């Protein structure tokens, strides 16, 4: 079924709460900016989705707002690309566009709040010792220290980093992507650096995460 059908079921107060909640979950399956688990976690900030019918409506409103913004954003990008091809003969999107659409994003007015929530959630899961790393992975340890410092600064500042720190995070992306796929049997290290990479990408795609340098 379509997203709109599930949305109507969420709004149908004649249905049992469990059916409406299930419909919202199905809608999230169809549109999940951060993946299902992370998207559901953010929607849960509006209230008790297990018991509160009004919370279901508030969550649906956030989800629909993001979906509508994403559709409009992609349409605007497609139109701009057509113009670039026609006028500038630019066949490939810019590196900035590629990076922007590559990373995790929450389109719409909740973009900043959603990113801060997800970075904080991942940071809680990230706490603990660094797992065993492949032989000769001294660079990975330094990378971990640097990125963790920036993530902590971002959260401490309420979801803000100055441009210098944002640039430093961006410079760490190639290294993070390399260590996010280490050879077996380093699955724990892979999970660790994938989570670190995810936090870095989220911060860089925060629509309101930059502050002016002092």
């Amino acid at each position: 079924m379509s997203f709109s059908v599930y949305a109507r079921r969420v709004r149908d107060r004649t249905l049992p709460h469990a059916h409406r909640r299930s419909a919202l979950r199905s809608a999230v399956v169809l549109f999940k900016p951060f993946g299902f688990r992370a998207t559901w976690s953010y929607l849960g900030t509006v209230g008790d989705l297990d018991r509160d019918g009004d919370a279901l409506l508030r969550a649906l409103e956030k989800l629909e707002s993001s979906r509508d913004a994403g559709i409009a954003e992609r349409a605007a990008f497609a139109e701009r690309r057509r113009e670039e091809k026609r006028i500038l003969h630019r066949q490939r999107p810019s590196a900035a566009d590629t990076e922007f659409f590559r990373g995790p994003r929450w389109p719409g007015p909740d973009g900043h709040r959603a990113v801060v929530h997800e970075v904080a959630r991942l940071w809680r899961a990230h706490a603990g010792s660094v797992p065993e790393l492949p032989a000769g992975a001294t660079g990975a340890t330094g990378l971990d220290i640097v990125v963790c410092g920036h993530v902590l600064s971002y959260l401490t500042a309420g979801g803000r980093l100055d441009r210098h720190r944002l640039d430093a995070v961006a410079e760490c992306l190639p290294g993070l992507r390399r260590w996010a796929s280490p050879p077996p049997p380093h699955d724990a290290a892979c999970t660790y650096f994938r989570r670190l990479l995810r936090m870095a990408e989220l911060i860089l795609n925060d629509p309101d995460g930059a502050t002016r340098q002092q």
Side-chain angles (χ1 to χ4, degrees):
M1 286 186 286
S2 67
F3 183 93
S4 60
V5 170
Y6 289 124
R8 284 197 297 272
R9 290 188 175 186
V10 176
R11 291 192 173 93
D12 189 350
R13 292 181 180 272
T14 67
L15 293 175
H17 182 87
H19 291 191
R20 297 173 64 199
R21 179 180 179 277
S22 177
L24 179 62
R25 289 178 66 87
S26 295
V28 173
V29 169
L30 295 179
F31 179 72
K32 44 185 184 296
F34 287 168
F36 181 86
R37 182 180 179 183
T39 299
W40 187 261
S41 175
Y42 178 64
L43 294 180
T45 63
V46 303
D48 187 352
L49 300 180
D50 291 332
R51 298 178 179 82
D52 186 352
D54 289 335
L56 292 178
L57 297 178
R58 291 192 294 271
L60 178 63
E61 182 180 358
K62 285 184 178 295
L63 193 66
E64 285 183 317
S65 177
S66 180
R67 180 172 178 268
D68 290 345
I71 291 172
E73 196 175 73
R74 288 191 295 273
F77 174 72
E79 178 61 29
R80 178 159 55 85
R81 286 292 298 129
R82 282 192 291 270
E83 290 299 301
E84 288 176 347
K85 291 178 181 179
R86 183 176 65 86
I87 299 174
L88 303 177
H89 305 290
R90 182 183 296 165
Q91 297 303 311
R92 294 183 179 181
S94 68
D97 281 337
T98 300
E99 194 65 45
F100 177 74
F101 282 102
R102 176 182 183 178
R105 300 167 39 257
W106 187 286
D110 280 281
H112 175 65
R113 290 187 293 273
V115 168
V116 174
H117 173 83
E118 179 59 5
V119 172
R121 187 183 74 87
L122 291 172
W123 180 252
R124 290 192 294 270
H126 198 71
S129 59
V130 179
E132 180 183 356
L133 297 174
T138 53
T141 301
L143 189 66
D144 174 51
I145 293 171
V146 170
V147 178
C148 281
H150 291 314
V151 172
L152 185 57
S153 295
Y154 171 84
L155 292 173
T156 301
R160 299 287 190 277
L161 282 182
D162 62 43
R163 178 51 55 186
H164 175 73
R165 286 178 177 268
L166 287 172
D167 289 344
V169 172
E171 290 174 0
C172 292
L173 289 182
L176 289 174
R177 287 170 180 151
R178 182 172 65 254
W179 292 112
S181 301
H186 300 285
D187 293 340
C190 180
T191 298
Y192 184 89
F193 279 97
R194 281 181 180 172
R195 188 165 51 232
L196 200 59
L197 171 62
R198 178 79 168 182
M199 288 188 285
E201 290 178 331
L202 283 163
I203 289 171
L204 290 172
N205 277 341
D206 185 339
D208 194 27
T211 61
R212 291 181 300 176
Q213 288 183 283
Q214 302 298 318

